[in-house]
Amino acid sequence: MAASEHPRMSDVAARAGVSLSTVSRALRGASGVAPEVRARVERAAAEMGYVVSRGASSLVTGLTGRIAVIVPFLQPWFFGVAMAGIHSHLRSVGTDMVVYEVGDTRALTDYLRTLPLRRNVDAVIAVSLRPGQDDLDQLDAIGLPIVFCSHRVTGFPSVFIDEAGAAEGATRHLLNLGHTRIAYVQAQDDTGFPWHSRLRLEGYRRAVERIGAEPVVVTGRPGVEGGALAAAELLSRDDIPTAVLTESDDLALGVLRALRRSRLAVPEVMSVVGFDDQESAALFDLTTVAQPVHRLGAEAGRLASGVLDGSVSGDTHVELPTGLVIRGTTAAPRRGPGLTG
Amino acid sequence: MAASEHPRMSDVAARAGVSLSTVSRALRGASGVAPEVRARVERAAAEMGYVVSRGASSLVTGLTGRIAVIVPFLQPWFFGVAMAGIHSHLRSVGTDMVVYEVGDTRALTDYLRTLPLRRNVDAVIAVSLRPGQDDLDQLDAIGLPIVFCSHRVTGFPSVFIDEAGAAEGATRHLLNLGHTRIAYVQAQDDTGFPWHSRLRLEGYRRAVERIGAEPVVVTGRPGVEGGALAAAELLSRDDIPTAVLTESDDLALGVLRALRRSRLAVPEVMSVVGFDDQESAALFDLTTVAQPVHRLGAEAGRLASGVLDGSVSGDTHVELPTGLVIRGTTAAPRRGPGLTG
DNA sequence: CTGTTAGCGCATTCAG
DNA sequence: CTGAATGCGCTAACAG
């Protein structure tokens, strides 16, 4: 496993025949180094496989070259894509990404209480997380810039979509098709975080109530399976809705699955709309609200590094557009007061 | 955003009325500190929100308290789960996880060439990645312990499953049911990495050839969609196979989808077996090979920190068990020479 | 444009 | 059991 005798900067200096500080300047891309000298230093460093110790340089600069990303879960599609987006930006600016998973509010609070990030990262990106006021105070005490991804938080830079507006638009699409009994399916929130779901639900409510219809909300378990169970619940009601909007594609896929098992044709018997537009949505021909998750991440990364170099102010807010992708799971209700009847 | 005037160790020392080195010892849990003094120091530190600067301590200890995780992609299910497993262990030992995505061999080589990890992490966990010999040399030159997750690599600690054996077992299950025309569907490998697929394919081949049958291998695009396309190809052959084993659940889900669209009953017309046992496998009642991905990650984390504290040797190999989960997508062929005809 | 000097915050000798 | 010195590897003034 090779000797742990990594070359240090002075070794490079010796080999290049210059002083320590010249190496430092050259390697850092600082101005004021003769091109020829710079080249010589770079070659020497490369030959020796030299790499600066961030620990040492951060000791004097106060910057670590690292950004923390906090996610509630590592596994779901959304977070993978968001992290990929963040990573794509951070890599381009040479910043490392250290990842923490905090499954619920308690974990977050505990985590913040120990403040492991202070002085060990330059900034933190919180994905789909909204800390409570206590936590915000803690964060503030850490004194680290923090940017929120997929959540608008006043006072902090954040990137997000118009959750309510998007859900409202999707609901309106169903209303315009002539549906009047439209249900909303959301996942149970065990994490204690105030999720998007609240906002999406709000958008749905707004659209439905505007036409004087009754909101029908089913709250079930998360994931595809949760969707299937929610569908079962809907199908056992008196007045089965003719359309359903779900909080996520996973849920929608579950609904589709349950309907198929019951041999209920989609969209003839029931229209289904998801939220996310993840890969399988297209495959299952699911009408859904597309959100630019990768861009959300990339933008969060940009904000984070922007805050550090001063190019982004403390409360910059970036709203990214969503789009309703109409596919095969939505149509006018069979015998409704709809446009096409 | 608060003042960036973080307290340093000397501040804690002053507050606790002891010397710097006593604080250092107390906070590090080193022996040789009076319990009463230790408590006093800890309280002082807590009150001030003091956190040690890893950069400063690593400057003298040579350890960073950080482990790098390299994955080919951030997004797919497998990597999210594996990272969750790794994270669960690392968190328990207070080690940070810095994540890098390297999409293909070129990215990996480029990445290793710049050696950004040396001196910035204590070890690296490579997930589902097998570097070429050149890369291994590079890694060796970095002088960092490296453990492989989901790949057996001689000379390095690694955690893995018996890929070939699992695929062989799954194939044998189909053979035992009476299938004789069994196809294998794998995803095109654009990354340049030698994936598991090779080993799984090998296991499939072994089982099929043992009974003198002809291997039928379809290589398509990855993901659910790729599976659907592969199914289309299978369905346009002279002798449509009566069963198919896929390299991953995603692929299998795509196959199921295509079959359903063609109104071909599963398992009556065709049996389908996946590989992974991800969440949706159960939902779609897919027979599949379950692999303990989370454990794979956790074990890799354990190996990594074990190598650091000397409790794990340089080439410890851990094989985790897989299991065939028989669900509704497999059955004896309709009119075959099978057991149940 | 380049070299010299002085710490950054901590762990670690070594004395007491 | 505790405190006073030394240096980890680097950047940032400051001179030249």
Side-chain angles (χ1 to χ4, degrees), chain A residues 11 26-28 54 56 62 87 111 118 122 134 138 191-192 195 218 227 245 272 275 288 310 320 325 327 341:
Chain A
D11 297 325
L27 259 30
R28 208 152 15 93
R54 276 187 170 151
H87 182 268
Y111 180 65
R118 177 184 287 183
D122 298 332
D134 296 354
Q138 286 273 3
T191 64
W195 289 90
V218 176
L245 170 65
V272 179
F275 202 116
T288 191
L320 261 27
V325 181
R327 298 205 182 91

Side-chain angles (χ1 to χ4, degrees), chain A residues 24 31 50 59 62 137 149 170 207 313 324:
Chain A
S24 173
S31 63
Y50 171 78
L59 199 52
D137 294 344
C149 177
S313 96
L324 182 64

Side-chain angles (χ1 to χ4, degrees), chain B residues 8-9 21 24 50:
Chain B
R8 49 193 98 181
M9 199 173 260
S21 37
S24 173
Y50 171 79

Side-chain angles (χ1 to χ4, degrees), chain B residues 289-310:
Chain B
V289 176
Q291 62 167 328
V293 184
H294 193 277
R295 273 192 64 202
L296 236 28
E299 201 63 23
R302 204 182 58 73
L303 285 187
S305 45
V307 171
L308 290 178
D309 67 25

Side-chain angles (χ1 to χ4, degrees), chain B residues 31-321:
Chain B
S31 63
V33 180
E36 182 218 53
V37 175
R38 186 186 299 275
R40 188 147 39 95
V41 170
E42 276 167 352
R43 196 156 49 73
E47 285 168 3
M48 310 177 75
Y50 171 79
V51 178
V52 307
S53 160
R54 279 190 167 150
S57 56
S58 78
L59 200 51
V60 27
T61 61
L63 257 30
T64 62
R66 237 168 281 131
I67 282 184
V69 175
I70 306 186
V71 296
F73 301 106
L74 251 10
Q75 171 171 352
W77 171 83
F78 182 90
F79 300 106
V81 178
M83 284 175 51
I86 295 172
H87 183 268
S88 72
H89 175 82
L90 293 189
R91 138 151 318 184
S92 75
V93 296
T95 301
D96 283 349
M97 177 175 93
V98 13
V99 177
Y100 299 92
E101 182 188 54
V102 290
D104 53 39
T105 44
R106 243 206 58 183
L108 177 60
T109 302
D110 287 356
Y111 179 66
L112 293 179
R113 198 181 308 293
T114 63
L115 304 177
L117 325 103
R118 176 183 289 184
R119 306 170 88 196
N120 291 314
V121 298
D122 297 332
V124 8
I125 297 175
V127 183
S128 282
L129 234 43
R130 185 161 56 185
Q133 191 53 52
D134 296 355
D135 297 325
L136 282 178
D137 294 345
Q138 287 272 1
L139 281 171
D140 216 52
I142 300 183
L144 240 39
I146 170 163
V147 358
F148 289 90
C149 178
S150 192
H151 239 312
R152 177 183 194 124
V153 180
T154 38
F156 296 89
S158 44
V159 208
F160 46 83
I161 59 170
D162 179 4
E163 307 275 358
E168 186 176 0
T171 310
R172 215 157 34 212
H173 168 59
L174 292 169
L175 291 170
N176 289 342
L177 285 173
H179 293 275
T180 51
R181 291 196 313 283
I182 304 172
Y184 181 81
V185 171
Q186 66 181 358
Q188 176 71 48
D189 174 18
D190 296 326
T191 64
F193 294 122
W195 289 91
H196 332 278
S197 49
R198 274 237 296 263
L199 293 170
R200 295 184 189 166
L201 175 57
E202 195 181 291
Y204 156 79
R205 276 226 156 86
R206 228 152 53 195
V208 157
E209 284 169 355
R210 182 169 312 151
I211 66 144
E214 184 75 10
V216 177
V217 179
V218 176
T219 305
R221 295 174 39 196
V224 185
E225 195 164 355
L229 294 173
E233 185 170 334
L234 284 176
L235 293 176
S236 58
R237 294 174 57 97
D238 283 357
D239 50 344
I240 297 179
T242 60
V244 48
L245 169 65
T246 65
E247 182 194 331
S248 72
D249 281 352
D250 275 353
L251 252 21
L253 260 23
V255 170
L256 287 182
R257 174 77 181 157
L259 292 175
R260 184 181 308 113
R261 285 217 167 135
S262 302
R263 304 200 185 284
L264 297 174
V266 171
E268 289 76 9
V269 172
M270 194 180 284
S271 286
V272 179
V273 180
F275 202 116
D276 277 344
D277 200 25
Q278 64 179 69
E279 189 200 18
S280 30
L283 190 78
F284 283 85
D285 205 24
L286 176 67
T287 294
T288 191
V289 176
Q291 62 167 328
V293 184
H294 193 277
R295 273 192 64 202
L296 236 28
E299 201 63 23
R302 204 182 58 73
L303 285 187
S305 45
V307 171
L308 290 178
D309 67 25
S311 66
V312 165
S313 95
D315 71 337
T316 307
H317 296 285
V318 179
E319 178 176 315
L320 261 29

